[in-house]
Amino acid sequence: REIKAVADATGKELQDVSRYAKKEELVPLKERCGELALQIEMQENIQMESATILSERVLACEDSLQRHDDFIKNDLQVRFEKIDDGLLAQKMDLEGLQITVKEINVRKASRTELSELERRVDAVAEIQKQDSATLEEAHSNLEKLQECIDMANDNKAQTQ
């Protein structure tokens, strides 16, 4: 009857009433549509929460990267300059020792002079080893930092 009333109101001719669904048949479909709407709403909420969490993580990574960037720009160069100055001073000490060794080789040296020279050379070699280890550690840390920066940039690109 409702279908016939709609057909009459629109001025269209009702062709085959058996092709149209009855109201009783549409009730389960309407209920299913309601269930699907609730599921979609739940999924949208879950996605929003996930996006919020990911956004917070990206912000934390960006903050960390900014701190590392500040460290690299402000502190790292100063530290490298200090290490470089120390290495240069050690190199000069080593050159002075080499000159001293040549001079000693030219003349006959006493045991105390040789012992003192050996002690100074050992001390310089030890300091050189320590500085070399420090530089290797700094290089390793910079590689790790670059990997973190690359991963954060990838995450940022994926998030956007």
Side-chain angles (χ1 to χ4, degrees):
R1 285 184 307 198
E2 292 174 3
I3 296 172
K4 187 172 188 303
V6 170
D8 289 340
T10 59
K12 294 186 179 177
E13 195 172 308
L14 182 64
Q15 295 177 355
D16 185 8
V17 175
S18 64
R19 288 181 30 192
Y20 296 101
K22 294 180 182 167
K23 190 174 184 177
E24 303 84 38
E25 295 172 344
L26 295 177
V27 170
L29 290 175
K30 186 176 180 182
E31 290 173 358
R32 181 66 180 145
C33 286
E35 291 172 3
L36 289 174
L38 287 174
Q39 288 178 358
I40 288 171
E41 186 178 335
M42 287 175 24
Q43 288 300 321
E44 286 175 348
N45 289 339
I46 290 170
Q47 285 181 343
M48 290 300 288
E49 290 173 9
S50 296
T52 302
I53 290 170
L54 289 175
S55 177
E56 290 170 357
R57 286 183 182 173
V58 167
L59 287 175
C61 287
E62 286 175 350
D63 290 343
S64 176
L65 286 174
Q66 186 62 43
R67 286 193 312 273
H68 290 303
D69 189 43
D70 291 343
F71 171 75
I72 288 171
K73 287 180 181 176
N74 299 331
D75 298 337
L76 197 58
Q77 185 65 30
V78 173
R79 288 185 181 189
F80 279 141
E81 288 173 359
K82 285 181 182 178
I83 290 172
D84 192 39
D85 291 344
L87 289 174
L88 185 59
Q90 289 177 4
K91 199 175 204 180
M92 292 172 64
D93 288 345
L94 188 58
E95 287 176 5
L97 290 174
Q98 287 174 340
I99 291 171
T100 304
V101 168
K102 287 179 184 177
E103 290 174 357
I104 289 175
N105 285 337
V106 171
R107 62 181 175 88
K108 188 174 182 176
S110 69
R111 278 190 184 261
T112 56
E113 289 174 328
L114 289 175
S115 296
E116 176 62 21
L117 180 62
E118 181 180 357
R119 185 188 61 76
R120 288 178 63 197
V121 168
D122 289 343
V124 169
E126 183 61 33
I127 292 171
Q128 180 68 28
K129 285 179 187 177
Q130 291 172 353
D131 287 344
S132 177
T134 301
L135 286 174
E136 287 178 14
E137 181 181 341
H139 180 71
S140 172
N141 288 339
L142 284 175
E143 287 178 348
K144 290 177 185 176
L145 180 60
Q146 184 61 44
E147 289 177 14
C148 287
I149 290 171
D150 291 342
M151 288 189 324
N153 286 337
D154 290 345
N155 282 344
K156 185 175 181 181
Q158 288 177 355
T159 301
Q160 292 176 350

